[in-house]
Amino acid sequence: MKILAVIPAYNEEACLLDTVHGLTAACPDIDYLVVNDGSVDATSAIILANRLNGANLPINTGLTSAFKLGMKYAHRNGYDAVVQFDADGQHLPEYIPIMAHELEVRDADIVIASRFLDGTAKPSGVRGLGQRLITLLIKLTTGTTITDPTGGMRMYSRRMIDLFATSFDCAPEPDMVALIARKYGPVVEIPATMQDRQGGTSYFNLGNVLKYMARTCLSILMQRVLR
């Protein structure tokens, strides 16, 4: 299976190089593409100085645009699968072969590395409540139980590469996971652990978490009616 790791990066100078080195050391047989999403720190310089396989967006456009650029690259270069891989060092590359195996043997369209499939308790507070609500809404609208709907380490099939590369309204978000579970092939999970962010600052403060959860829940419900 020809696999591409798409690594969106926004102001990840503190950990990008270690993330790429860890990925290539653990999985030397897969390719990667760093998508620099208009960073204003040294991310672009690190890509250039270390001759990383990368693409630079001139301004910050957000995760969806950065990821779709990677999907277009995969589509044009004939990859069989894409794994979404964070630049901040949270994702562990040793799960990629396991995800590829599950994608193939279960004929899945998405495999999610779940932090909660093994029974690990979801976080408390707003984020935990939001994740439980999203899991419930996906179950009600698709019949599929996704224990970690906001988990960012996901592997996508060749069919999903084609879909993301050629459709304008696809995003690497839980509402899209719900749509794929309902209208396309299986969405499956494997148990996984994640590291803490290895550097930089997370986008998700309390205000952004609330907006994200509300928008995601509404989108899941609207998609069930409109799509």
Side-chain angles (χ1 to χ4, degrees):
M1 187 183 294
K2 187 179 179 184
I3 302 172
L4 176 71
V6 175
I7 310 175
Y10 177 64
N11 292 345
E12 297 290 3
E13 64 179 7
C15 45
L16 175 61
L17 195 57
D18 286 342
T19 296
V20 172
H21 285 168
L23 172 66
T24 55
C27 302
D29 295 331
I30 76 166
D31 298 331
Y32 71 88
L33 177 72
V34 179
V35 182
N36 173 32
D37 187 21
S39 298
V40 295
D41 65 356
T43 296
S44 178
I46 289 170
I47 293 171
L48 181 62
N50 294 276
R51 298 183 178 180
L52 304 182
N53 187 36
N56 290 294
L57 294 171
I59 59 172
N60 178 238
T61 57
L63 173 63
T64 295
S65 294
F67 184 69
K68 287 190 72 171
L69 189 154
M71 286 298 224
K72 290 176 185 289
Y73 178 93
H75 178 71
R76 292 171 182 171
N77 289 280
Y79 285 92
D80 300 306
V82 160
V83 60
Q84 182 181 345
F85 199 80
D86 281 358
D88 60 15
Q90 293 190 75
H91 296 164
L92 299 176
E94 52 261 40
Y95 292 114
I96 293 176
I98 303 171
M99 298 171 79
H101 176 76
E102 291 297 306
L103 191 78
E104 193 166 27
V105 301
R106 299 179 67 174
D107 194 27
D109 273 331
I110 298 181
V111 178
I112 301 171
S114 170
R115 297 162 289 180
F116 313 118
L117 188 62
D118 62 359
T120 300
K122 292 185 179 181
S124 59
V126 174
R127 293 190 73 165
L129 179 62
Q131 287 178 350
R132 291 181 181 88
L133 181 56
I134 292 171
T135 292
L136 176 62
L137 290 176
I138 292 176
K139 176 67 173 178
L140 292 174
T141 57
T142 72
T144 300
T145 298
I146 305 294
T147 65
D148 194 1
T150 63
M153 188 176 182
R154 305 187 187 110
M155 183 172 284
Y156 297 82
S157 69
R158 178 69 174 268
R159 182 160 66 158
M160 292 298 101
I161 293 173
D162 296 343
L163 179 67
F164 273 74
T166 59
S167 301
F168 75 93
D169 56 350
C170 293
E173 299 290 356
D175 53 350
M176 192 67 197
V177 172
L179 180 66
I180 290 165
R182 182 163 54 87
K183 296 190 67 174
Y184 295 91
V187 176
V188 302
E189 295 180 293
I190 65 162
T193 58
M194 302 291 167
Q195 300 186 117
D196 292 331
R197 168 179 273 275
Q198 301 299 293
T201 303
S202 174
Y203 163 81
F204 284 108
N205 56 39
L206 178 59
N208 287 331
V209 167
L210 290 171
K211 292 176 185 177
Y212 174 82
M213 295 301 181
R215 184 175 64 247
T216 298
C217 291
L218 179 60
S219 181
I220 291 171
L221 292 172
M222 293 300 293
Q223 281 190 351
R224 185 64 181 89
V225 175
L226 300 176
R227 299 180 68 177

